[in-house]
Amino acid sequence: MVRWLAAFAAVSIAASETWAQNPAPAIDRVSAVYGKALIEQDWKALESTLSREFVGIDPDGAIRDRKGWIAFLKRPGPRVNNVWNRRTSLKVFSESAHVVGTFTWTGTLDGRRVRQTERYSSVWRRTGDTWECVALQTVPVAPVKGK
């Protein structure tokens, strides 16, 4: 239903910093930058977090390159008011990293208030003193029914 925000976790380090053994703080910082860009609809800032080779797979299985992903996010419809990102796993492999986590956003869709949670898996690449997202896949978390 609300897959346009699926790219939230697909963020990269666009700010220059010295490479450290643990890139987690830098990845977390740029996640915040990405969320702010999404809320403010700052598409240039959002685009800067994705590699030129970026490939995103949304919950419906659509595959989009960087340009297509940005166009998908820019379309009329959903409006994001808040974003919360929680990284649960980060594995670094020399010049690349794999991140797994959960993000939740609130906003409006078709005039209704919406709260959506999704899980993600993303792959990052270190390029010089920056990190950029090269791949992302997201899956919506359905509300638990029953008890």
Side-chain angles (χ1 to χ4, degrees), residues 45-112:
L46 196 143
E47 182 179 26
S48 73
T49 67
L50 308 175
S51 77
R52 294 187 190 282
E53 301 85 6
F54 174 80
V55 175
I57 303 172
D58 72 27
D60 285 344
I63 299 171
R64 302 176 198 283
D65 62 10
R66 178 178 162 182
K67 184 177 178 181
W69 196 268
I70 298 299
F72 181 64
L73 294 174
K74 287 171 76 170
R75 80 189 194 293
R79 174 75 175 136
V80 177
N81 296 328
N82 292 295
V83 177
W84 300 271
N85 185 29
R86 184 171 56 93
R87 173 181 39 79
T88 56
S89 170
L90 175 104
K91 308 273 192 238
V92 178
F93 306 95
S94 185
E95 304 294 311
S96 64
H98 179 240
V99 179
V100 175
T102 302
F103 69 91
T104 301
W105 69 275
T106 60
T108 57
L109 176 65
D110 299 328
R112 297 172 309 163

Side-chain angles (χ1 to χ4, degrees), residues 11 16 41-42 47 49 51 58 62 64 113 120 122 132 141:
V11 295
S16 285
Q41 298 184 343
D42 183 349
E47 182 179 26
T49 67
S51 77
D58 72 27
R64 302 176 198 283
R113 292 179 56 87
Y120 67 88
S122 58
E132 56 189 7
V141 177

Side-chain angles (χ1 to χ4, degrees), residues 19-24 92:
W19 165 247
Q21 291 294 346
N22 180 8
V92 178

